[in-house]
């Protein structure tokens, strides 16, 4: 094998080619990550739609919705002053979604994903409630409520933060992201 003498190597072209390869690799990686997010969104949406079909009344409501996009809501965890049996409820239009009850914890974790199909002309907010579940008395007590403005999520595209409840000295960690349809 013969080697090209160094005076014949065009280092400028080699550097440009290297930069081009790096740019293409970055583009491929970003497309791959985007596809993974879309897959998660689609899976969560399919699961949620399957649950809605279990009830005829909810099925009727779902068929009248005209989506303008989707908001993925991830209920991560909460911080409470004292240990309680609690769950989280999301209310948007006529849709009511809940997490499972976490027993006797002042730091409950859910890591539960929900997808809200936005309605054309629908409400501008959705409600997040943290609820103390009292199975003995068969009553649930709302410990705190948050009104989340959809416009804020659409503008920021993605928010992951701790939110404080006014009524209770408690916080909830939410990840919220908007996806256009």
């Amino acid at each position: 094998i013969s080697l090209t003498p160094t005076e014949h190597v065009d280092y400028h072209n080699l550097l440009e080619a290297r930069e081009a390869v790096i740019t293409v690799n970055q583009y491929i990686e970003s497309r791959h990550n985007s596809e993974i997010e879309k897959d998660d969104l689609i899976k969560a949406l399919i699961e949620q739609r399957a649950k809605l079909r279990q009830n005829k009344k909810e099925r009727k409501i779902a068929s009248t919705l005209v989506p303008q996009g989707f908001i993925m809501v991830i209920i991560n965890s909460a911080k409470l002053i004292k240990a309680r049996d609690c769950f989280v409820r999301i209310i948007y239009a006529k849709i009511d979604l809940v997490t499972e009850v976490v027993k006797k914890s002042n730091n409950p974790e859910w890591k539960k994903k929900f997808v809200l199909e936005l309605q054309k002309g629908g409400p501008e907010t959705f409600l997040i409630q943290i609820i103390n579940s009292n199975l003995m008395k068969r009553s649930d007590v709302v410990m705190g409520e948050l009104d989340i403005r959809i416009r804020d999520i659409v503008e920021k595209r993605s928010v992951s933060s701790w939110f404080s409840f006014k009524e209770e000295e408690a916080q909830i960690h939410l990840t919220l992201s908007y996806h256009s349809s």
Side-chain angles (χ1 to χ4, degrees), residues 9 11 24 26 51 54 71 74 107 115 123 132 139 173 175:
V9 176
Y11 290 106
V24 168
Q26 288 171 341
K51 289 177 184 176
Q54 293 174 0
I71 292 187
I74 303 174
N107 292 309
V115 177
N132 183 15
S139 65
H173 185 241
T175 301

Side-chain angles (χ1 to χ4, degrees), residues 41-72:
L41 177 65
I42 290 169
K43 285 177 189 174
L45 183 59
I46 289 170
E47 289 173 11
Q48 187 171 326
R49 282 188 175 165
K51 289 177 184 176
L52 286 174
R53 288 189 186 103
Q54 293 174 0
N55 185 311
K56 286 182 182 181
K57 189 176 185 181
E58 290 176 340
R59 189 179 328 139
K60 224 179 222 186
I61 293 168
S63 68
T64 64
L65 301 181
V66 180
Q68 292 180 311
F70 307 93
I71 292 187
M72 180 178 285

Side-chain angles (χ1 to χ4, degrees), residues 8-103:
H8 296 290
V9 176
D10 187 353
Y11 290 106
H12 182 70
N13 285 343
L14 284 175
L15 288 174
E16 285 179 357
R18 180 179 176 268
E19 291 299 318
V21 168
I22 290 171
T23 302
V24 168
N25 285 339
Q26 288 171 341
Y27 174 77
I28 291 169
E29 187 176 324
S30 72
R31 293 286 298 179
H32 177 72
N33 291 341
S34 173
E35 291 300 318
I36 290 172
E37 280 183 17
K38 282 183 182 176
D39 288 347
D40 287 348
L41 177 65
I42 290 169
K43 285 177 189 174
L45 183 59
I46 289 170
E47 289 173 11
Q48 187 171 326
R49 282 188 175 165
K51 289 177 184 176
L52 286 174
R53 288 189 186 103
Q54 293 174 0
N55 185 311
K56 286 182 182 181
K57 189 176 185 181
E58 290 176 340
R59 189 179 328 139
K60 224 179 222 186
I61 293 168
S63 68
T64 64
L65 301 181
V66 180
Q68 292 180 311
F70 307 93
I71 292 187
M72 180 178 285
V73 179
I74 303 174
I75 310 291
N76 294 305
S77 58
K79 294 178 186 174
L80 309 173
I81 289 186
K82 74 180 210 183
R84 300 180 185 214
D85 298 346
C86 62
F87 64 96
V88 176
R89 172 180 282 141
I90 301 172
I91 301 171
Y92 174 69
K94 295 181 180 180
I95 298 170
D96 190 352
L97 306 166
V98 296
T99 65
E100 67 279 355
V101 174
V102 174
K103 302 256 183 213

